[in-house]
Amino acid sequence: MSKKVGWSFWWLWTIAHVIGSAVLPLLVWQDPYDLRSRIFLNEILQGIGVSLAQSMVLRDRFTKEGWWLPLSLIGWTIGMTLIFFVPSLSIHVHLSNFPPMTLLIIDFAIIGTIVGICQWQLLKSFRTGGLWLFASPIALSLSIFGLQLGYMAKSSALATALQGVIYGAITGLAAIKVLRSPKILPKSRKQ
């Protein structure tokens, strides 16, 4: 790690999430796509945008940053596949009496958990790396409230930007805590 991780990192991380969340998804909120396709494409593009944004901010601050993007994209792909294409594996089957907002929170928690596990592979060498396993699903599931506010204001740009603010702010705090913690030294083997 060559640069400090503090409040300037948090601001940069959060702003990067807003940009990563909003720029690419704006391409799919056009008429040629039906609603389900728009939601699916939005989440794919948002996953790519956020993963790229996180990688850019981690550059020069984290020695294994080169693996962050591929592992993040793998996590988003697996999570999205479970939620959209394998409904029998999704929690929807057992929660059909829950309101749609609750289902979205649960779906995003599932995606956040899978993304968090993939990213944790790089963070587990830090003493507080396990915090990421909680921060990722909590942040992504709470980001639904940003989406809801934006959609209530009838603005898809505002919805994705607010989602990025919430996701970035929460994971940014966790990233600071994790990256500031000491690394766990490997145990030496007795011969």
Side-chain angles (χ1 to χ4, degrees), residues 3-127:
K3 290 186 179 181
K4 283 186 159 185
V5 179
W7 287 110
S8 60
F9 171 84
W10 181 83
W11 279 107
L12 184 61
W13 182 268
T14 303
I15 291 167
H17 275 74
V18 171
I19 294 168
S21 290
V23 172
L24 290 177
L26 288 177
L27 301 174
V28 299
W29 290 104
Q30 308 301 322
D31 290 334
Y33 303 103
D34 67 344
L35 183 60
R36 182 159 171 83
S37 297
R38 282 188 278 176
I39 291 170
F40 181 67
L41 289 171
N42 177 64
E43 295 308 319
I44 289 174
L45 293 174
Q46 189 168 22
I48 293 168
V50 166
S51 299
L52 285 168
Q54 288 175 342
S55 295
M56 294 300 291
V57 174
L58 288 174
R59 196 180 50 195
D60 298 331
R61 289 181 176 89
F62 182 52
T63 56
K64 296 180 181 179
E65 175 276 326
W67 284 100
W68 191 268
L69 181 61
L71 286 174
S72 298
L73 292 175
I74 288 169
W76 279 96
T77 303
I78 292 170
M80 295 293 292
T81 300
L82 284 176
I83 298 306
F84 279 96
F85 295 118
V86 190
S88 62
L89 294 179
S90 177
I91 203 158
H92 289 132
V93 173
H94 307 291
L95 300 176
S96 58
N97 58 346
F98 281 89
M101 186 71 162
T102 305
L103 289 176
L104 279 175
I105 291 170
I106 292 169
D107 283 349
F108 275 60
I110 291 169
I111 295 169
T113 300
I114 295 168
V115 171
I117 289 169
C118 289
Q119 293 169 336
W120 174 75
Q121 299 305 310
L122 301 174
L123 299 174
K124 65 184 176 184
S125 62
F126 290 93
R127 188 168 306 273

Side-chain angles (χ1 to χ4, degrees), residues 168-181:
I170 295 170
T171 57
L173 291 173
I176 289 171
K177 180 78 172 162
V178 171
L179 295 175
R180 281 184 175 174
S181 72

